Amino acid sequence: MRKIPHRMAQEDGLAPNHFLQLAAVDFNGVYAVHLAAKEERLKMTRLALSLLSGPFFAAIALASAKAVDPQSLTRWQDVPWYLFALVIAFGVLSVLPFLRLIEAVNAHARTARAINNFRLLYSTKLGDELDWTPNLPVDPRFPETYAPLAWPGINVMVLATVNSTYLTVGVTGLSGQEPNLLLLMTGILLVALVHYGVYYVRCNVSRRRRLPRNPYRITNMEG
């Protein structure tokens, strides 16, 4: 790393340690954003799995209390209607962590893009004056919010499939219809597409957000 010219230090009041402080803050910010995103995804996934396990715990409790014959739980026609109602209820409740997971992905992606935009402002100065730039992304459009094969996208697809299974099975059983594999698979697919459509629309609307007010006419680096 070469020394910053004395003239620039006088004009801008900047020294090499100032740029190093920016880089240190930058690294800490990126680490904090990714750590918060990971923790949020884990918390929402655990909450969703806890809610989805509710009908199983209810069935075990009813069978242990001899309120339900355990043999009746092995036959679709003999399952009590209120167990199907519980499946629907917990399937609806599990939609809440699903929606919260989408909002968390959006929030962390927006924060990461803001950090990239901040890095773009000073990394050009580092490259011109110190012949060094941090090995970090400078594209303010990164990371992409809607990434189906990334961990958030896979997590959303799995939760959407499980939620759809609970809702479809619960509605089918509560309506008294005979189980049909083709009917169940079609219902699960349609409800999962609704879940995934919410994720797709919400994330893409977030990407095409309106620019904030800029009263000082600062140059927009996202173009």
Side-chain angles (χ1 to χ4, degrees), residues 140-154:
R141 296 168 297 180
F142 178 84
E144 288 285 346
T145 316
Y146 178 70
L149 297 182
W151 167 239
I154 295 175

Side-chain angles (χ1 to χ4, degrees), residues 32-43:
V33 168
H34 286 288
L35 185 62
K38 181 179 179 180
E39 291 179 353
E40 189 74 18
R41 288 197 299 267
L42 287 176
K43 288 192 296 186

Side-chain angles (χ1 to χ4, degrees), residues 51 55 82-95 166-167 170:
L51 292 174
Y82 48 83
L83 284 181
F84 286 117
L86 282 176
V87 172
I88 296 176
F90 281 98
V92 172
L93 288 176
S94 63
V95 175
Y166 271 60
L167 294 174

